Amino acid sequence: MNSLQRATAAYLGLALGDALGSTVEFMIPREIVAQYGVHDTLCGGGWLHLPAGAVTDDTTMALALGNAILSQGKVEAIAIAIAFDDWMRAKPVDIGNTVRRNLLYFRKTGNPEAPYSDHDAGNGAAMRLLPVALATFGQSEAAIRAASRAQAHTTHHCALSDAACETLIFMLHDAVRGADKNYLLHQHAHPLVARYPEYKFRATRQIQNPSGYIVDTIQAVFQSFFDTDDFRSCLIDVVNRGGDADTTGAIAGMLAGAHYGITAIPNPWLRVLNSQVRQQCEAQAVDLMSLAAIHDAPR
Ligand code: MG
Ligand code: MG
């Protein structure tokens, strides 16, 4: 399996996790069991009353971000803030509070960097970061961190969010290279916990009903990703925890897609995924990886 196939699987994984999780977003596990037993189909519904295979802000913001990066040929904060603002004007099905507040700040000030706040530790910057990960594949660590922050700070300017976003991007890069799970755990997940102990996800409680707080989100995603053995089980495990299930599904889906690759993605899910979204994810994966290859080429 080559890196482009893994990148494509990551993008489809993001959309599939979002679509699967949206059905049970804001439900608690007990309610999910009562209504679905185990929720494992892209059946739509949920609090947003979505058609089967539809995605939410997690995927549509990622696609807006990907378009902004491709139009500039690089990760550029102003272009990203404009793309997100246009996305907000188009009345998306859902939008996070921090995203809305800081995009309104951008509209007023023209500053694409939101004011720093330790309270803006939601998962909104992490859920949509995949295009930055693909576009910076092969770049230097400093360039990757700068690109991650340019993207994230358009709405979430917060140290905890930055740490999670950068960890996810470096993990995605190694997963796309085909690294094994143990390597991802020791090279990326454990160092995040060493720096910010609140992210501890091993030898701790099973995270249930994870909120939109980035720490809850990452703990649930890492527990599901590291403690299951295939793409489908990982996504089912994480969304059945309820809470911010579309977002835990989206982030787990990127990681699991990159790690297990395109052949591991269940066909019954792919067939139901909104076909326009599927096409855009596949096209952006190709285009963003070509952009990365141009930057990576010897000069
Ligand atoms: Mg959402
Ligand atoms: Mg959500």
Side-chain angles (χ1 to χ4, degrees), residues 58 83 125 143 177 182 188 207 212 222 263 271 277:
D58 309 68
R177 289 186 185 101
N182 213 32
H188 301 295
I207 302 298
F222 282 0
T263 52
R271 273 198 298 274
V277 167

Side-chain angles (χ1 to χ4, degrees), residues 3 6 129-141 143-145 147 166-179 183-184 188 255 258 289 292:
S3 52
R6 290 183 185 276
L129 58 66
L130 182 63
V132 173
L134 302 188
T136 58
F137 185 67
Q139 289 191 11
S140 71
E141 183 181 331
I144 293 165
R145 289 194 195 278
E166 289 160 41
T167 297
L168 286 170
I169 291 175
F170 290 121
M171 273 181 88
L172 285 162
H173 285 170
D174 279 330
V176 162
R177 289 186 185 101
Y183 183 88
L184 300 178
H188 301 295
L255 285 175
M289 288 297 277

